[in-house]
Amino acid sequence: MIDHPDFIAGLPKAELHLHIEGSLEPELMMALAQRNRITTPFATVEEVRAAYNFSRLQDFLDIYYAGADVLRTEQDFHDLALAYFDRAAEDGVVHAEIFFDPQTHTDRGIPFQVVADGLLAGMAAAQARHGLTAQLILCFLRHLDEDAAFTTLKAAEPWLDRITGVGLDSSEIGHPPEKFARVFAAAGDMGLKRVAHAGEEGPPDYVWQALDLLDIDRLDHGNRALEDPILTARLAREGMTLTVCPLSNLKLCVVPDMAAHPIDRMLKVGLRATINSDDPAYFGGYIADNYRAAATGRDLSLADLTLLARNSFLGSFLPLDAVSMHLARLDAYVDAA
Ligand code: ADE
Ligand code: ZN
């Protein structure tokens, strides 16, 4: 029998919940600060890392938005994306659907074009270098208002043929999905997929709203849905994919320790759960680290790990023939292990 760690790194998988700004490692942050002649509050990489101590989502978001200030040019966004894809490829990621937060950049004067074209160039480089495919999901910042989200959707129009969907992130409590019902409906009319963070810190009601008012195709996090058995049954019945992020949940105190993580309970009740890294530079691990932490904390079997990887392709926005191809490769890997 092959060891879990080796099995996990080689297991072909898709990453469905990754904020590209959350993959900004302190080393790259310092290098970009120097390249762009920006002074940061931190003198060393160690000082940056020492600041990554969070007791809730907002603690993290404050530091994450501040860190993104070093991203100024198309080259910066390209380098950020390619660094993530290089690292993800080492972890067996063959397809990634990545979030970006345009408002974090446009609100400080960086044009949408700089962000989008830089990321798209990074995606093209990853495809050429690793054969790794990628898609973009534009997230609206939920602490900002509906008008700002509509302005962002408008700014994205020239790129809509290269953007797969829209998402909803940032401070959850106090900013329910209903606030964005109209902008999500407009995005749907434009043919975009819809995903939303819900039930990370927010109550099960926010998950109901994401389903009923945003008509989501995928649920990001969704942990607190488990508090509501009727909601859980609906998510299972509808085959809704949950993009679960174990190390993020640990670092943001959504769970007290990995032994309390609900990942195996989600699988047991028939939810299509996946494992993802969220903001790996801030939470201490990329996707394989997340699989390993969950495997150790919850004593997951090779069959559980295989199911999680399988779910990542089934829950992706890839066309059906690509999903089938990835599942066949996954089966061949497991059979040979
Ligand atoms: N933005 C980046 N990571 C996030 C998370 N885990 N929840 C909400 N917004 C985010
Ligand atoms: Zn997230």
Side-chain angles (χ1 to χ4, degrees):
M1 175 74 69
I2 186 165
D3 280 351
H4 278 32
D6 293 337
F7 179 79
I8 287 169
L11 187 65
K13 56 182 80 65
E15 173 130 75
L16 305 179
H17 187 149
L18 179 281
H19 302 263
I20 198 64
E21 294 89 349
S23 72
L24 177 59
E25 290 288 347
E27 288 79 3
L28 183 58
M29 190 188 293
M30 300 303 266
L32 295 183
Q34 203 167 33
R35 184 157 96 189
N36 293 326
R37 297 181 211 291
I38 302 162
T39 50
T40 68
F42 306 106
T44 63
V45 161
E46 290 69 32
E47 274 185 32
V48 183
R49 283 220 165 80
Y52 294 174
N53 235 317
F54 318 114
S55 54
R56 61 199 170 102
L57 174 60
Q58 194 61 49
D59 296 348
F60 153 71
L61 290 171
D62 293 342
I63 283 197
Y64 159 85
Y65 294 130
D69 186 45
V70 300
L71 298 162
R72 301 283 172 102
T73 67
E74 242 179 87
Q75 186 71 45
D76 297 344
F77 286 94
H78 163 277
D79 293 354
L80 172 70
L82 192 53
Y84 161 68
F85 291 124
D86 283 346
R87 183 64 188 76
E90 286 176 22
D91 278 5
V93 173
V94 291
H95 176 70
E97 300 182 1
I98 65 170
F99 299 135
F100 72 118
D101 287 341
Q103 289 156 295
T104 298
H105 314 299
T106 53
D107 282 4
R108 51 190 182 87
I110 312 294
F112 188 97
Q113 172 271 323
V114 166
V115 182
D117 286 347
L119 295 177
L120 288 163
M123 289 158 61
Q127 167 103 55
R129 189 180 285 181
H130 303 291
L132 191 160
T133 56
Q135 297 179 3
L136 274 182
I137 298 176
L138 179 167
C139 282
F140 301 116
L141 297 182
R142 70 201 305 158
H143 67 274
L144 301 178
D145 63 21
E146 183 196 38
D147 276 356
F150 269 113
T151 302
T152 304
L153 187 59
K154 182 91 193 133
E157 261 173 28
W159 285 270
L160 286 189
D161 56 335
R162 285 153 287 167
I163 292 176
T164 300
V166 295
L168 188 62
D169 65 2
S170 193
S171 322
E172 186 181 9
I173 290 176
H175 302 285
E178 65 182 338
K179 187 172 154 186
F180 298 94
R182 287 185 294 204
V183 74
F184 267 61
D189 290 344
M190 293 169 169
L192 293 165
K193 298 283 191 192
R194 287 146 313 224
V195 303
H197 284 55
E200 180 184 17
E201 282 189 343
D205 179 50
Y206 284 19
V207 178
W208 282 106
Q209 288 186 28
L211 294 172
D212 291 333
L213 305 179
L214 304 187
D215 196 18
I216 53 167
D217 298 289
R218 204 157 68 201
L219 173 60
D220 296 316
H221 295 295
N223 300 46
R224 291 198 58 194
L226 291 171
E227 294 169 23
D228 179 340
I230 296 173
L231 176 59
T232 302
R234 174 173 172 187
L235 292 167
R237 189 174 62 247
E238 294 182 358
M240 179 63 62
T241 298
L242 274 67
T243 63
V244 182
C245 306
L247 287 173
S248 165
N249 293 159
L250 183 67
K251 291 289 155 101
L252 300 183
C253 305
V254 167
V255 293
D257 52 44
M258 208 47 82
H261 199 278
I263 190 70
D264 51 323
R265 190 147 63 94
M266 289 171 165
L267 294 178
K268 214 160 278 155
V269 298
L271 292 171
R272 187 191 275 170
T274 63
I275 282 188
N276 308 272
S277 65
D278 206 4
D279 302 282
Y282 292 86
F283 299 148
Y286 284 77
I287 193 167
D289 301 311
N290 276 272
Y291 272 76
R292 283 183 206 112
T296 307
R298 294 300 310 162
D299 200 19
L300 300 184
S301 65
L302 294 187
D304 293 328
L305 297 168
T306 304
L307 176 59
L308 289 159
R310 194 175 177 76
N311 286 347
S312 74
F313 295 116
L314 293 171
S316 75
F317 295 138
L318 284 166
L320 283 180
D321 57 345
V323 171
S324 301
M325 182 270 290
H326 285 301
L327 292 180
R329 288 194 182 162
L330 172 62
D331 288 342
Y333 174 80
V334 173
D335 287 347

PDB file of all heavy atoms in Angstrom, residues 73-86:
ATOM      1  N   THR A  73       1.449  46.078 -11.903  1.00  0.00           N
ATOM      2  CA  THR A  73       1.580  45.999 -13.363  1.00  0.00           C
ATOM      3  C   THR A  73       1.069  44.654 -13.885  1.00  0.00           C
ATOM      4  O   THR A  73       0.907  43.695 -13.121  1.00  0.00           O
ATOM      5  CB  THR A  73       3.058  46.140 -13.778  1.00  0.00           C
ATOM      6  OG1 THR A  73       3.767  44.980 -13.298  1.00  0.00           O
ATOM      7  CG2 THR A  73       3.690  47.401 -13.189  1.00  0.00           C
ATOM      8  N   GLU A  74       0.864  44.598 -15.206  1.00  0.00           N
ATOM      9  CA  GLU A  74       0.470  43.334 -15.842  1.00  0.00           C
ATOM     10  C   GLU A  74       1.477  42.238 -15.523  1.00  0.00           C
ATOM     11  O   GLU A  74       1.108  41.105 -15.253  1.00  0.00           O
ATOM     12  CB  GLU A  74       0.435  43.562 -17.361  1.00  0.00           C
ATOM     13  CG  GLU A  74      -0.931  43.369 -17.963  1.00  0.00           C
ATOM     14  CD  GLU A  74      -0.925  43.638 -19.463  1.00  0.00           C
ATOM     15  OE1 GLU A  74      -0.645  42.721 -20.251  1.00  0.00           O
ATOM     16  OE2 GLU A  74      -1.218  44.783 -19.819  1.00  0.00           O
ATOM     17  N   GLN A  75       2.766  42.624 -15.556  1.00  0.00           N
ATOM     18  CA  GLN A  75       3.827  41.650 -15.246  1.00  0.00           C
ATOM     19  C   GLN A  75       3.662  41.098 -13.829  1.00  0.00           C
ATOM     20  O   GLN A  75       3.851  39.896 -13.595  1.00  0.00           O
ATOM     21  CB  GLN A  75       5.203  42.325 -15.397  1.00  0.00           C
ATOM     22  CG  GLN A  75       6.378  41.371 -15.230  1.00  0.00           C
ATOM     23  CD  GLN A  75       6.516  40.410 -16.408  1.00  0.00           C
ATOM     24  OE1 GLN A  75       6.421  40.813 -17.556  1.00  0.00           O
ATOM     25  NE2 GLN A  75       6.711  39.132 -16.125  1.00  0.00           N
ATOM     26  N   ASP A  76       3.273  41.957 -12.883  1.00  0.00           N
ATOM     27  CA  ASP A  76       3.078  41.502 -11.499  1.00  0.00           C
ATOM     28  C   ASP A  76       1.980  40.437 -11.435  1.00  0.00           C
ATOM     29  O   ASP A  76       2.130  39.413 -10.757  1.00  0.00           O
ATOM     30  CB  ASP A  76       2.668  42.667 -10.583  1.00  0.00           C
ATOM     31  CG  ASP A  76       3.735  43.745 -10.469  1.00  0.00           C
ATOM     32  OD1 ASP A  76       4.897  43.477 -10.827  1.00  0.00           O
ATOM     33  OD2 ASP A  76       3.378  44.871 -10.043  1.00  0.00           O
ATOM     34  N   PHE A  77       0.865  40.698 -12.126  1.00  0.00           N
ATOM     35  CA  PHE A  77      -0.250  39.738 -12.078  1.00  0.00           C
ATOM     36  C   PHE A  77       0.128  38.445 -12.804  1.00  0.00           C
ATOM     37  O   PHE A  77      -0.247  37.346 -12.374  1.00  0.00           O
ATOM     38  CB  PHE A  77      -1.531  40.374 -12.642  1.00  0.00           C
ATOM     39  CG  PHE A  77      -2.142  41.364 -11.685  1.00  0.00           C
ATOM     40  CD1 PHE A  77      -1.859  42.719 -11.770  1.00  0.00           C
ATOM     41  CD2 PHE A  77      -2.978  40.933 -10.661  1.00  0.00           C
ATOM     42  CE1 PHE A  77      -2.397  43.631 -10.864  1.00  0.00           C
ATOM     43  CE2 PHE A  77      -3.531  41.829  -9.744  1.00  0.00           C
ATOM     44  CZ  PHE A  77      -3.235  43.186  -9.849  1.00  0.00           C
ATOM     45  N   HIS A  78       0.878  38.575 -13.881  1.00  0.00           N
ATOM     46  CA  HIS A  78       1.391  37.391 -14.585  1.00  0.00           C
ATOM     47  C   HIS A  78       2.274  36.571 -13.653  1.00  0.00           C
ATOM     48  O   HIS A  78       2.125  35.355 -13.520  1.00  0.00           O
ATOM     49  CB  HIS A  78       2.178  37.840 -15.828  1.00  0.00           C
ATOM     50  CG  HIS A  78       3.073  36.769 -16.392  1.00  0.00           C
ATOM     51  ND1 HIS A  78       4.340  36.506 -15.893  1.00  0.00           N
ATOM     52  CD2 HIS A  78       2.884  35.892 -17.410  1.00  0.00           C
ATOM     53  CE1 HIS A  78       4.880  35.514 -16.570  1.00  0.00           C
ATOM     54  NE2 HIS A  78       4.014  35.111 -17.496  1.00  0.00           N
ATOM     55  N   ASP A  79       3.210  37.233 -12.977  1.00  0.00           N
ATOM     56  CA  ASP A  79       4.174  36.528 -12.118  1.00  0.00           C
ATOM     57  C   ASP A  79       3.455  35.862 -10.939  1.00  0.00           C
ATOM     58  O   ASP A  79       3.800  34.749 -10.532  1.00  0.00           O
ATOM     59  CB  ASP A  79       5.238  37.501 -11.590  1.00  0.00           C
ATOM     60  CG  ASP A  79       6.133  38.041 -12.710  1.00  0.00           C
ATOM     61  OD1 ASP A  79       5.998  37.572 -13.864  1.00  0.00           O
ATOM     62  OD2 ASP A  79       6.948  38.941 -12.432  1.00  0.00           O
ATOM     63  N   LEU A  80       2.472  36.568 -10.389  1.00  0.00           N
ATOM     64  CA  LEU A  80       1.680  36.021  -9.277  1.00  0.00           C
ATOM     65  C   LEU A  80       0.990  34.730  -9.715  1.00  0.00           C
ATOM     66  O   LEU A  80       1.057  33.694  -9.041  1.00  0.00           O
ATOM     67  CB  LEU A  80       0.628  37.063  -8.854  1.00  0.00           C
ATOM     68  CG  LEU A  80      -0.410  36.594  -7.831  1.00  0.00           C
ATOM     69  CD1 LEU A  80       0.235  36.383  -6.461  1.00  0.00           C
ATOM     70  CD2 LEU A  80      -1.555  37.608  -7.723  1.00  0.00           C
ATOM     71  N   ALA A  81       0.316  34.798 -10.868  1.00  0.00           N
ATOM     72  CA  ALA A  81      -0.445  33.635 -11.347  1.00  0.00           C
ATOM     73  C   ALA A  81       0.491  32.476 -11.679  1.00  0.00           C
ATOM     74  O   ALA A  81       0.232  31.329 -11.280  1.00  0.00           O
ATOM     75  CB  ALA A  81      -1.281  34.027 -12.560  1.00  0.00           C
ATOM     76  N   LEU A  82       1.581  32.765 -12.367  1.00  0.00           N
ATOM     77  CA  LEU A  82       2.472  31.673 -12.770  1.00  0.00           C
ATOM     78  C   LEU A  82       3.130  31.021 -11.560  1.00  0.00           C
ATOM     79  O   LEU A  82       3.321  29.798 -11.532  1.00  0.00           O
ATOM     80  CB  LEU A  82       3.506  32.182 -13.788  1.00  0.00           C
ATOM     81  CG  LEU A  82       4.308  31.092 -14.489  1.00  0.00           C
ATOM     82  CD1 LEU A  82       3.419  30.022 -15.129  1.00  0.00           C
ATOM     83  CD2 LEU A  82       5.237  31.694 -15.543  1.00  0.00           C
ATOM     84  N   ALA A  83       3.457  31.824 -10.550  1.00  0.00           N
ATOM     85  CA  ALA A  83       4.034  31.239  -9.320  1.00  0.00           C
ATOM     86  C   ALA A  83       3.034  30.265  -8.699  1.00  0.00           C
ATOM     87  O   ALA A  83       3.405  29.171  -8.250  1.00  0.00           O
ATOM     88  CB  ALA A  83       4.392  32.345  -8.330  1.00  0.00           C
ATOM     89  N   TYR A  84       1.751  30.651  -8.690  1.00  0.00           N
ATOM     90  CA  TYR A  84       0.740  29.736  -8.147  1.00  0.00           C
ATOM     91  C   TYR A  84       0.655  28.451  -8.988  1.00  0.00           C
ATOM     92  O   TYR A  84       0.665  27.335  -8.454  1.00  0.00           O
ATOM     93  CB  TYR A  84      -0.655  30.396  -8.056  1.00  0.00           C
ATOM     94  CG  TYR A  84      -1.726  29.337  -7.942  1.00  0.00           C
ATOM     95  CD1 TYR A  84      -1.826  28.562  -6.787  1.00  0.00           C
ATOM     96  CD2 TYR A  84      -2.558  29.027  -9.018  1.00  0.00           C
ATOM     97  CE1 TYR A  84      -2.746  27.528  -6.694  1.00  0.00           C
ATOM     98  CE2 TYR A  84      -3.483  27.996  -8.937  1.00  0.00           C
ATOM     99  CZ  TYR A  84      -3.565  27.247  -7.773  1.00  0.00           C
ATOM    100  OH  TYR A  84      -4.459  26.208  -7.692  1.00  0.00           O
ATOM    101  N   PHE A  85       0.584  28.609 -10.312  1.00  0.00           N
ATOM    102  CA  PHE A  85       0.414  27.419 -11.169  1.00  0.00           C
ATOM    103  C   PHE A  85       1.622  26.483 -11.059  1.00  0.00           C
ATOM    104  O   PHE A  85       1.456  25.262 -11.059  1.00  0.00           O
ATOM    105  CB  PHE A  85       0.178  27.831 -12.622  1.00  0.00           C
ATOM    106  CG  PHE A  85      -1.148  28.505 -12.845  1.00  0.00           C
ATOM    107  CD1 PHE A  85      -1.209  29.772 -13.424  1.00  0.00           C
ATOM    108  CD2 PHE A  85      -2.340  27.895 -12.486  1.00  0.00           C
ATOM    109  CE1 PHE A  85      -2.437  30.411 -13.631  1.00  0.00           C
ATOM    110  CE2 PHE A  85      -3.571  28.519 -12.690  1.00  0.00           C
ATOM    111  CZ  PHE A  85      -3.612  29.780 -13.259  1.00  0.00           C
ATOM    112  N   ASP A  86       2.833  27.064 -10.980  1.00  0.00           N
ATOM    113  CA  ASP A  86       4.030  26.223 -10.817  1.00  0.00           C
ATOM    114  C   ASP A  86       3.911  25.377  -9.551  1.00  0.00           C
ATOM    115  O   ASP A  86       4.204  24.182  -9.546  1.00  0.00           O
ATOM    116  CB  ASP A  86       5.292  27.098 -10.708  1.00  0.00           C
ATOM    117  CG  ASP A  86       5.752  27.652 -12.053  1.00  0.00           C
ATOM    118  OD1 ASP A  86       5.276  27.166 -13.105  1.00  0.00           O
ATOM    119  OD2 ASP A  86       6.586  28.583 -12.060  1.00  0.00           O
TER     120      ASP A  86
END
